[in-house]
Amino acid sequence: MTAKIRLYVDHPLGDGQTVPLDRDQAHYLFGVMRQQEGADVALFNGRDGEWLAQVTQAGKRGGELTCVRQTRPLQMPPDLWLLFAPIKKARTDFIVEKAAEMGAAKIIPVQTEYTNSERIRQDRLQAHAVEAAEQCGGTYVPEVTDLQRLDRLLADWPSTRRLMFCDEAEAGAARALGAAPRGPWAILIGPEGGFSVTERAKLHGLPFAHVVSLGPRILRADTAAVAALTVWQQALGDWDGPQSD
């Protein structure tokens, strides 16, 4: 039997493990979804895979589930980061949700010279990543970091991680990933105003950067994020099953 409701919990999962529910989770399960004692719920925590659990206590302000059996092992995404400049609230939420659905392991909002937003609600964006994982059947939730300055991030960049730089100035150019190697990667999407001349020159000069065109048209930032993740996943990701480096 497959549970219709999936829930992320920050609690160990295992055979016979009891899992307490906080007030918000209890309200969702028992107030909104009208579940009762004995109901089946799928649980995951990003570490122990997915578990079928049963409601053993149901209340308005809390409750308890008990793990019955593991239904799926933990499936880790590829070692891929998504770096993007925050835009309008709803479209930033969209980027985070789609990145979680499409297999990003880490999501990093970055401050560029032309970034419109100077701060974000990291906790709210992390909640969107959790919701996306619950809905898409994922067993892993990517970390959403706080806003970081792009120049500082690049200054401390790990030498083994390659960067797929999606340069809107290259629209229409024949620039693709080609025979790029597997391994740790990141994707960089710019702000609505594009990268500055200084930023673009620096990015083109980085030894770990691979400049990529996303087709003949300049895409909106949220569209570009989905397109870039698609390009990378098809070429180097896990869409065709687990890959080795």
Side-chain angles (χ1 to χ4, degrees):
M1 179 180 294
T2 302
K4 295 181 180 180
I5 298 174
R6 299 184 80 244
L7 194 64
Y8 172 83
V9 293
D10 186 15
H11 195 277
L13 301 175
D15 190 21
Q17 176 72 55
T18 57
V19 180
L21 298 176
D22 61 29
R23 185 169 183 167
D24 289 341
Q25 292 169 331
H27 172 70
Y28 171 70
L29 281 181
F30 311 132
V32 178
M33 301 304 293
R34 304 295 183 185
Q35 301 299 296
Q36 299 177 350
E37 290 188 11
D40 291 332
V41 180
L43 302 179
F44 69 104
N45 61 4
R47 303 182 301 274
D48 301 318
E50 180 186 85
W51 284 77
L52 177 68
Q54 288 186 337
V55 176
T56 49
Q57 293 182 23
K60 292 181 179 180
R61 299 184 179 181
E64 185 180 86
L65 306 176
T66 300
C67 294
V68 177
R69 68 177 185 276
Q70 189 182 57
T71 50
R72 293 175 59 193
L74 175 65
Q75 182 181 9
M76 293 294 292
D79 190 358
L80 175 66
W81 299 353
L82 175 68
L83 284 60
F84 75 99
I87 46 180
K88 293 179 180 179
K89 179 180 176 182
R91 290 166 60 192
T92 292
D93 295 346
F94 174 88
I95 291 174
V96 170
E97 291 166 1
K98 299 310 166 188
E101 290 177 23
M102 298 181 72
K106 191 173 186 179
I107 303 170
I108 307 176
V110 294
Q111 177 80 44
T112 69
E113 291 188 29
Y114 296 158
T115 300
N116 291 332
S117 177
E118 295 184 355
R119 63 180 182 176
I120 61 167
R121 280 281 308 277
Q122 184 275 337
D123 58 339
R124 185 176 58 81
L125 293 180
Q126 187 67 66
H128 280 291
V130 168
E131 291 171 5
E134 288 176 339
Q135 293 173 9
C136 76
T139 56
Y140 177 85
V141 177
E143 174 193 3
V144 183
T145 74
D146 210 343
L147 188 66
Q148 302 186 37
R149 279 183 47 174
L150 178 61
D151 56 351
R152 294 177 181 173
L153 191 62
L154 294 175
D156 295 326
W157 194 259
S159 60
T160 58
R161 185 173 298 275
R162 296 173 178 87
L163 179 67
M164 176 176 156
F165 167 39
C166 304
D167 187 356
E168 75 279 358
E170 298 291 327
R175 285 186 175 267
L177 279 173
R182 299 185 185 276
W185 274 84
I187 294 171
L188 174 61
I189 301 295
E192 292 181 313
F195 293 100
S196 70
V197 173
T198 302
E199 288 171 333
R200 183 172 288 108
K202 181 175 182 178
L203 286 162
H204 275 267
L206 294 174
F208 52 81
H210 292 246
V211 181
V212 172
S213 169
L214 296 178
R217 291 165 289 277
I218 296 177
L219 305 178
R220 289 193 344 175
D222 48 348
T223 307
V226 174
L229 286 162
T230 302
V231 167
W232 190 91
Q233 279 282 27
Q234 287 184 328
L236 301 172
D238 63 359
W239 284 11
D240 292 325
Q243 302 285 349
S244 59
D245 293 349

